[in-house]
Amino acid sequence: MDSSRPPIYLFTDGASSGNPGPGGYGVVLKCGGYSREMSGGYALTTNNRMELMAVIVGLETVKWQNADITVVSDSSYVVNAVNKGWVFNWEKKGFSKARNPDLWIRFLKIYRQHRVRFQWIKGHAGHPENERCDALAVAAGAGAVAAGKKLPEDTGYTCTLENGNS
């Protein structure tokens, strides 16, 4: 660990209303005394895509190389995929039977630029940052619908973020 740089904590959550349905992700990044919130919404997505998207967006926000990052998530899907090595096995098999391969490929690219640890926490259990991430995710999903976005055709739920990024 580079002792000149403080550790980074990413608190993440995803939500969807229906599975698939409109959804969003929320991220709270904390580093030293600094805090930043991020969110985005999709017109058609799944909960697992939003959970993973929250982690990706949080990691992509970090501009240092080889940063010491702890991701705190209530997503067993994401935490177990990394901590139990599932994502690395999916990668070896070309993601042939994995869900959300587009996001897992994007995740691995940024994941490998840092030292990342995952910590699972129980959702909706009063953890302040997790509750905030949930509120951001729900609001972003509602915003995608309120913006009058038409639901895209089913292309494996690879959708465009409300702000135009993919």
Side-chain angles (χ1 to χ4, degrees):
M1 180 174 138
D2 181 349
S3 61
S4 67
R5 293 192 173 148
I8 297 168
Y9 294 89
L10 288 178
F11 301 90
T12 65
D13 199 17
S16 67
S17 179
N19 211 17
Y25 65 85
V27 180
V28 174
L29 181 150
K30 291 192 172 191
C31 180
Y34 174 81
S35 182
R36 179 176 176 188
E37 294 182 347
M38 297 163 275
S39 63
Y42 292 77
L44 181 64
T45 190
T46 65
N47 185 66
N48 282 343
R49 285 187 70 80
M50 293 298 89
E51 295 282 5
L52 182 52
M53 193 67 189
V55 174
I56 292 168
V57 168
L59 291 175
E60 288 177 345
T61 301
V62 177
K63 299 306 177 202
W64 304 335
Q65 289 294 313
N66 206 27
D68 181 31
I69 304 170
T70 299
V71 175
V72 181
S73 173
D74 65 5
S75 172
S76 294
Y77 169 67
V78 173
V79 173
N80 286 339
V82 177
N83 286 349
K84 294 185 177 188
W86 302 341
V87 67
F88 308 109
N89 289 329
W90 299 333
E91 181 184 37
K92 286 177 191 171
K93 296 176 183 176
F95 295 97
S96 62
K97 294 185 181 180
R99 293 185 183 238
N100 307 309
D102 58 322
L103 293 182
W104 283 114
I105 290 166
R106 184 173 165 187
F107 164 80
L108 286 170
K109 181 178 178 184
I110 192 68
Y111 169 83
R112 289 184 168 127
Q113 295 177 24
H114 303 291
R115 293 182 311 276
V116 185
R117 288 177 303 286
F118 280 79
Q119 177 185 343
W120 181 84
I121 59 168
K122 183 176 169 89
H124 307 286
H127 187 283
E129 287 86 357
N130 181 256
E131 296 294 337
R132 180 62 185 147
C133 288
D134 181 64
L136 290 167
V138 170
V145 173
K149 292 189 67 135
K150 302 234 188 274
L151 295 176
E153 291 182 33
D154 178 0
T155 58
Y157 310 120
T158 303
C159 307
T160 302
L161 286 171
E162 187 176 8
N163 66 8
N165 295 329
S166 56

